[in-house]
Amino acid sequence: MTQQGAPRDAPVPMDRGAQNAAREAVGGDPSDDAVARARTHRVGGYTIVELHGEIDIAGVGSVGPALDAATAGDRPAVIVDLRPTAFFDCSGLGLLCRAHRRVQERGGRLRLVCDDALILRTLRAGRMLDVLEPVATLDEALDEALD
C-alpha cells in the first residue's frame, strides 16, 4: 500500500503504535533514554523524584502520578531531580508548575536539581527559573532544604 499521491515504491509512514513497536524492537531495553519514567526514593525527610527520559506531552502521563504522590499530604518535602532527563519541553514545565502549586498549597517545600542549559532555558522562558530556583547537585538541594 502506498500513500496517495506518492510514487508506487515510496514507503508508507507508520502510525504511532507501529513507530513505538519498531522503537521497542530496535532498542529492546525498557531503560531506553526516550522512555519517560520516575524513580522515587527518600533521603532523610525528603522525597526525591528523579525524572528520566523525555519529559514531553507523551511522557508527562507516565511521570505525573509519581509527582502527585510525592506532593500529596501535609507539608510535603520534595526534591525533583532533572539531571537524568534527556528532553524537557513546556509539558514538563506544566508538570513542575503543578507540583510547585500543590506543595505551596500544602505548606511544603519543593527544590529542583537541574544542571542542563537547555532545560534551564525552558524554565527561564516559562518564567519559572526564579520561582523554582534550581541548583546543580542533589547535595546542594539537600543542604538548602535543611536550612
Side-chain angles (χ1 to χ4, degrees):
M1 182 171 108
T2 61
Q3 191 173 20
Q4 188 174 8
R8 188 168 294 283
D9 60 345
V12 176
M14 290 188 276
D15 66 1
R16 178 72 63 197
Q19 289 174 354
N20 290 340
R23 184 176 350 135
E24 290 171 2
V26 172
D29 184 6
S31 66
D32 184 4
D33 283 345
V35 178
R37 63 196 180 286
R39 179 177 172 261
T40 303
H41 55 99
R42 303 273 300 171
V43 173
Y46 294 90
T47 302
I48 299 172
V49 182
E50 295 175 359
L51 300 184
H52 295 256
E54 296 182 1
I55 310 304
D56 56 10
I57 195 163
V60 165
S62 62
V63 298
L67 271 177
D68 285 348
T71 58
D74 291 333
R75 303 182 58 79
V78 180
I79 297 173
V80 178
D81 190 349
L82 295 180
R83 291 174 302 162
T85 302
F87 177 80
F88 185 90
D89 70 5
C90 61
S91 300
L93 187 60
L95 187 72
L96 290 180
C97 288
R98 174 181 162 80
H100 180 262
R101 179 181 42 83
R102 288 171 53 93
V103 167
Q104 293 297 311
E105 289 172 351
R106 292 167 171 80
R109 171 131 186 192
L110 183 129
R111 299 295 305 148
L112 182 65
V113 179
C114 178
D115 60 359
D116 184 278
L118 292 175
I119 296 174
L120 292 170
R121 186 182 333 173
T122 302
L123 293 171
R124 185 177 302 111
R127 298 181 184 239
M128 291 300 293
L129 193 63
D130 292 335
V131 174
L132 296 173
E133 300 175 334
V135 294
T137 68
L138 183 58
D139 287 339
E140 284 180 82
L142 287 167
D143 288 345
E144 289 182 15
L146 295 174
D147 292 340

